[in-house]
Amino acid sequence: MRTYTYGYTRLKKAEGEGFHAERDGSLHLEGNDCRIFLKSLDGVDESCLWGRLHMDVGLARNSILTVYAAAGRHGKETCIGPFINQTDILLCDLSGRYLWIWMEIKNAGNGIIRNIQVYSPGMEFLQMMPEVYQERGSVLHRYLSIFSTVYWEVQKKIDHMAGLADVHEASVHQLSLLEEWLGIRCGDGLLSEAMTRKLLAQTAHFVRIRGTRKVVEELTILLSGEKPKIFEKKSGTLVLLLCQNITEELERKLVYFLLQFLPKECRLHIISEQDPMGMDEYCYMDVNAMLALLPIGGLDLGDGLEQCVME
């Protein structure tokens, strides 16, 4: 079975009015009345059998989609249609090297048509019957095509199941399922959708290097955009030194995600080099100890020349 897909290259050659082709292989409709004449498909063989036309349509309730099809050679074609508001159309009555498809849409509005595909000769149960019953276009053929369509829809879903695990294509709802499958918690609102997708795309790699210095380094780079300086202590404490100013939001992200890939007994300290720190002098044996910001120096402009002091 051969499959012909109308991608951007074919769609941009379509003629008519009230539509334009997008690079994702879709037709965006404009205005109330649209006419679309798709570029002919070449089946190579003069006796090519055409099986089925399928498309995904997003139209308003009051829109009317009319589809026509023809096959054969130039000057000797067989035409079928019209098919009203149908997105899965049997082409079993058509044979010939070339296939033409054209559509008319009333009250199109801002509708969209995508995933236009033609199958030749089509996935049909008729091909599994004895040859004596394989008359195309017969009552038996049309009856079995109902079950062929059901089977085809199920098979299409099975073929696209791999897309459920694609973090770049998955919906927002599917991202939460991927978190459970990969064994990671992304928190509520801690990361943007784009950052969540980046993290999930690398989670399998992070799991393989869990508990190592490398996972701390790579995860910190992903979340903060900076390579940290890492110091390990025998007490199981890990100290991260960053040059940038660490906001409360960034600190919450680093602690939340790093601890998921570190041993339970590990303690994490995050320090910034941005602000100068000094120890409070009113302390004794760590009692009342604290880190305080050093005051910013300034010149006393009230003094004479060469007698300026820092205050």
Side-chain angles (χ1 to χ4, degrees):
M1 182 180 70
R2 287 178 291 179
T3 303
Y4 298 86
T5 301
Y6 281 90
Y8 175 69
T9 304
R10 282 192 172 115
L11 292 179
K12 70 178 181 179
K13 297 178 182 179
E15 299 180 355
E17 58 184 0
F19 70 94
H20 69 274
E22 293 289 344
R23 291 193 173 274
D24 61 354
S26 61
L27 290 173
H28 288 245
L29 309 180
E30 303 166 345
N32 290 326
D33 297 332
C34 302
R35 293 178 178 84
I36 305 170
F37 298 88
L38 298 177
K39 179 178 173 58
S40 62
L41 296 177
D42 188 351
V44 181
D45 188 359
E46 294 292 346
S47 59
C48 178
L49 301 177
W50 301 100
R52 184 183 302 274
L53 165 65
H54 176 80
M55 68 186 84
D56 295 330
V57 177
L59 297 173
R61 289 186 177 181
N62 61 338
S63 299
I64 301 175
L65 169 66
T66 307
V67 181
Y68 300 86
R73 293 178 296 176
H74 292 283
K76 191 178 180 181
E77 301 92 5
T78 302
C79 180
I80 59 174
F83 301 96
I84 309 297
N85 291 339
Q86 295 186 37
T87 58
D88 195 74
I89 299 171
L90 283 178
L91 304 177
C92 56
D93 293 332
L94 298 179
S95 62
R97 178 171 179 176
Y98 298 101
L99 175 70
W100 294 271
I101 298 171
W102 64 98
M103 295 175 274
E104 297 179 358
I105 303 98
K106 299 289 186 181
N107 304 319
N110 295 320
I112 184 172
I113 301 175
R114 56 163 65 93
N115 297 332
I116 305 174
Q117 294 179 320
V118 174
Y119 300 89
S120 171
M123 186 188 305
E124 300 170 349
F125 287 167
L126 189 70
Q127 299 169 357
M128 304 176 187
M129 302 292 290
E131 188 174 357
V132 68
Y133 297 108
Q134 292 187 15
E135 181 184 352
R136 291 176 58 83
S138 64
V139 175
L140 179 62
H141 185 188
R142 295 182 181 278
Y143 176 73
L144 291 178
S145 67
I146 299 174
F147 303 98
S148 297
T149 301
V150 175
Y151 176 81
W152 180 79
E153 290 289 346
V154 173
Q155 186 62 46
K156 187 171 69 169
K157 291 181 179 179
I158 294 174
D159 294 339
H160 288 83
M161 283 187 68
L164 296 176
D166 187 348
V167 297
H168 301 293
E169 300 295 334
S171 64
V172 177
H173 173 68
Q174 290 172 339
L175 290 180
S176 60
L177 296 177
L178 289 176
E179 292 177 24
E180 297 180 11
W181 293 350
L182 295 171
I184 184 175
R185 304 183 307 275
C186 290
D188 293 331
L190 275 180
L191 299 178
S192 64
E193 181 182 334
M195 181 58 71
T196 300
R197 294 182 187 275
K198 287 183 181 179
L199 177 60
L200 291 176
Q202 301 183 50
T203 297
H205 169 65
F206 291 150
V207 170
R208 284 194 295 269
I209 58 175
R210 184 194 297 268
T212 64
R213 184 187 185 97
K214 190 175 181 181
V215 72
V216 176
E217 182 178 294
E218 293 187 7
L219 193 52
T220 304
I221 292 174
L222 177 65
L223 296 173
S224 67
E226 179 186 341
K227 183 177 180 180
K229 297 176 183 177
I230 304 174
F231 303 93
E232 299 179 60
K233 296 184 179 181
K234 293 182 180 180
S235 60
T237 301
L238 197 66
V239 180
L240 299 186
L241 185 61
L242 298 175
C243 294
Q244 62 181 287
N245 185 28
I246 302 176
T247 62
E248 183 180 348
E249 180 184 0
L250 177 58
E251 181 181 6
R252 191 163 59 248
K253 289 179 185 178
L254 290 172
V255 172
Y256 185 82
F257 289 103
L258 286 174
L259 289 181
Q260 294 186 52
F261 294 94
L262 291 174
K264 270 189 174 181
E265 62 274 9
C266 182
R267 298 177 61 191
L268 184 64
H269 291 171
I270 303 174
I271 300 175
S272 171
E273 293 182 349
Q274 282 289 312
D275 298 322
M277 292 292 185
M279 184 64 73
D280 193 322
E281 58 183 351
Y282 300 105
C283 63
Y284 176 72
M285 296 183 65
D286 290 338
V287 178
N288 292 332
M290 63 174 291
L291 288 175
L293 289 176
L294 294 176
I296 300 175
L299 291 175
D300 183 1
L301 302 179
D303 292 334
L305 186 63
E306 296 181 355
Q307 295 181 358
C308 298
V309 296
M310 298 294 291
E311 62 175 8

